[in-house]
């Protein structure tokens, strides 16, 4: 498949991307079916704002420290204008975790990270996937139940 110029050709990296996309899609499904959805512009969508509100004030688990440290030191960049990118502002809370996971997914899915940077992107994706799984484990029970149900 030579149409992916600038993207990883190695099976391991492609599997990493696929796993992250599938985990993220399952999580958004779980949010919507687990009570964290909102109608915007006539479509039912995940409500990240509601999820952040529920997670506000909850401590980050000790098991997430390495992942958070990685993205605190190297936060993903969010496109703020046509030619402008700014890093997600590091914070010690779940909102930062959510913002990083969403930003990495959006950059990859919407083409914000072309060409793929093999010296940075795989580790950023790996850490954000782990952060997403921590959000499943430590987030609202209804979302976790729906996430697990979506695997069957």
């Amino acid at each position: 498949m030579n149409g992916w110029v600038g993207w990883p050709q190695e099976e391991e990296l492609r599997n990493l991307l696929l796993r992250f996309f599938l985990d993220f899609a399952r999580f958004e499904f779980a949010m919507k079916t687990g009570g964290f959805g909102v109608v915007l512009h006539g479509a039912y969508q995940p409500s990240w704002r509601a999820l952040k509100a529920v997670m506000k004030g909850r401590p980050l688990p000790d098991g997430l420290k390495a992942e958070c440290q990685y993205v605190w030191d190297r936060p993903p960049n969010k496109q703020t204008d046509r030619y402008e990118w700014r890093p997600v502002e590091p914070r010690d809370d779940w909102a930062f975790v959510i913002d990083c996971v969403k930003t990495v997914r959006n950059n990859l899915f919407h083409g914000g990270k072309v060409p793929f940077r093999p010296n940075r992107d795989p580790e950023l994706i790996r850490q954000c996937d782990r952060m997403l799984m921590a959000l499943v484990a430590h987030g609202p029970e209804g979302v976790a139940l729906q996430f697990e149900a979506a695997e069957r």
Side-chain angles (χ1 to χ4, degrees), residues 125-147:
I125 295 163
R126 191 173 290 106
Q127 299 300 344
C128 283
D129 194 49
R130 290 177 184 151
M131 294 166 80
L132 181 61
M133 294 300 98
L135 189 54
V136 171
H138 299 280
E141 184 178 352
V143 173
L145 291 171
Q146 293 299 321
F147 185 87

Side-chain angles (χ1 to χ4, degrees), residues 22-23 26-27 29-30 133 144-152:
L22 292 176
D23 287 344
R26 256 175 76 199
F27 190 78
F29 166 81
M133 294 300 98
L145 291 171
Q146 293 299 321
F147 185 87
E148 294 306 320
E151 187 174 43
R152 297 181 199 131

Side-chain angles (χ1 to χ4, degrees), residues 7 20-21 75-79 85-86 88 100-114 117 120-121 124:
W7 283 89
F20 180 66
F21 282 137
N77 290 316
K78 183 175 187 174
Q79 191 167 11
W85 294 78
R86 293 195 178 144
V88 173
C100 286
V101 169
K102 281 183 54 193
T103 298
V104 167
R105 180 266 182 196
N106 289 345
N107 288 347
L108 290 166
F109 194 80
H110 296 295
K113 292 296 183 197
V114 176
R117 296 177 305 174
R120 170 174 161 77
D121 291 345
L124 186 59

Side-chain angles (χ1 to χ4, degrees), residues 9-83:
Q9 301 298 312
E10 300 85 14
E11 184 175 357
E12 180 182 350
L13 288 178
R14 288 180 180 228
N15 287 338
L16 173 65
L17 286 166
L18 179 60
R19 184 177 64 246
F20 180 66
F21 282 137
L22 292 176
D23 287 344
F24 192 94
R26 256 175 76 199
F27 190 78
E28 283 196 322
F29 166 81
M31 285 177 61
K32 291 174 13 178
T33 57
F36 289 87
V38 63
V39 176
L40 290 174
H41 310 292
Y44 190 61
Q45 301 177 25
S47 177
W48 293 97
R49 181 172 291 161
L51 182 64
K52 284 181 183 180
V54 166
M55 298 304 291
K56 187 174 184 167
R58 292 188 187 186
L60 293 171
D62 289 338
L64 195 58
K65 288 191 187 277
E67 292 82 358
C68 286
Q69 189 64 54
Y70 183 86
V71 294
W72 284 327
D73 293 342
R74 301 161 201 84
N77 290 316
K78 183 175 187 174
Q79 191 167 11
T80 57
D81 201 345
R82 184 172 179 186
Y83 300 110

